[in-house]
Amino acid sequence: MSRIGKLPVEFAADIKVTAEGNVITFTKGKVTMDLDTKGNVDFKIDGNVLTFATKSEEKAHRAFWGTYRALAANIVTGLTTGYTKQLEINGVGYRAAVKGKVLNLQLGHSHDINFDLVDGLEASVEKNVITLKSHDKQLLGAAAAKIRSFRPPEPYKGKGVKYMEEHIVRKAGKTAKK
């Protein structure tokens, strides 16, 4: 039995939640996000509370129950407060700059890497820290992982792009023979 699925999703009055078939639509201002349940769960909207229930006692339906409730809660949190993720650049000559809707990265390659910022994703750079902001948690995580993949941190000197909260396990270098 899902302990997450039982919890109701409460949302503020300025978020408009509508349902059409199996799709739940969350709207705040000009931002609209959809959650397609694909008919795997039942849901009910009562005022400012959204509740989920299982379709049957089948194992897959019970798993979807908690999953869709968590996805709905993530959408509500994204629309109310938003999400941020910070990446740190370490290395001599490694730089980042934002030019319009493009994040320009100089990461020791023979060329600059231009990462296009999609709609709903904002970036800012201060010294060696890239701050990404979005209302979509999945979009934010995918963009941060893509930026990190351009130059992942290496274990000897720690050079590369890493998450701020990430700890790099260092290795000892070669030692000289006696």
Side-chain angles (χ1 to χ4, degrees):
M1 189 122 189
S2 175
R3 285 179 264 171
I4 296 295
K6 288 182 199 176
L7 300 173
V9 178
E10 296 179 12
F11 49 90
D14 58 342
I15 296 176
K16 183 181 171 197
V17 179
T18 57
E20 187 175 312
N22 293 326
V23 179
I24 306 170
T25 304
F26 299 86
T27 307
K28 181 178 179 182
K30 295 181 181 178
V31 180
T32 301
M33 295 184 71
D34 293 329
L35 177 63
D36 188 2
T37 62
K38 296 180 176 44
N40 292 315
V41 292
D42 291 327
F43 56 89
K44 187 169 70 171
I45 303 167
D46 278 335
N48 287 351
V49 177
L50 174 65
T51 54
F52 289 89
T54 58
K55 278 273 193 198
S56 68
E57 286 303 311
E58 192 177 314
K59 188 174 182 180
H61 285 159
R62 286 185 287 128
F64 284 128
W65 182 29
T67 301
Y68 283 117
R69 188 266 171 210
L71 291 174
N74 287 343
I75 290 172
V76 169
T77 303
L79 291 176
T80 54
T81 59
Y83 292 101
T84 60
K85 203 169 253 305
Q86 291 185 317
L87 296 135
E88 183 180 4
I89 300 174
N90 292 319
V92 178
Y94 289 10
R95 284 190 276 294
V98 178
K99 297 175 184 170
K101 293 292 278 177
V102 175
L103 178 64
N104 181 280
L105 300 163
Q106 296 173 351
L107 300 174
H109 296 291
S110 61
H111 59 283
D112 290 0
I113 298 169
N114 291 320
F115 181 76
D116 294 324
L117 300 171
V118 296
D119 290 336
L121 185 67
E122 299 173 21
S124 62
V125 177
E126 193 169 314
K127 291 190 179 183
N128 65 337
V129 177
I130 301 169
T131 304
L132 299 172
K133 294 180 183 176
S134 179
H135 58 269
D136 190 346
K137 190 174 187 178
Q138 188 174 357
L139 176 75
L140 180 70
K146 182 69 176 171
I147 292 169
R148 184 184 182 275
S149 74
F150 293 137
R151 179 70 79 177
E154 52 96 14
Y156 297 102
K157 292 184 179 177
K159 291 168 54 173
V161 180
K162 71 176 190 80
Y163 299 116
M164 277 298 259
E165 63 276 359
E166 184 179 11
H167 176 72
I168 307 300
V169 178
R170 296 289 179 90
K171 289 184 176 179
K174 293 180 181 178
T175 57
K177 286 188 177 182
K178 291 188 177 188

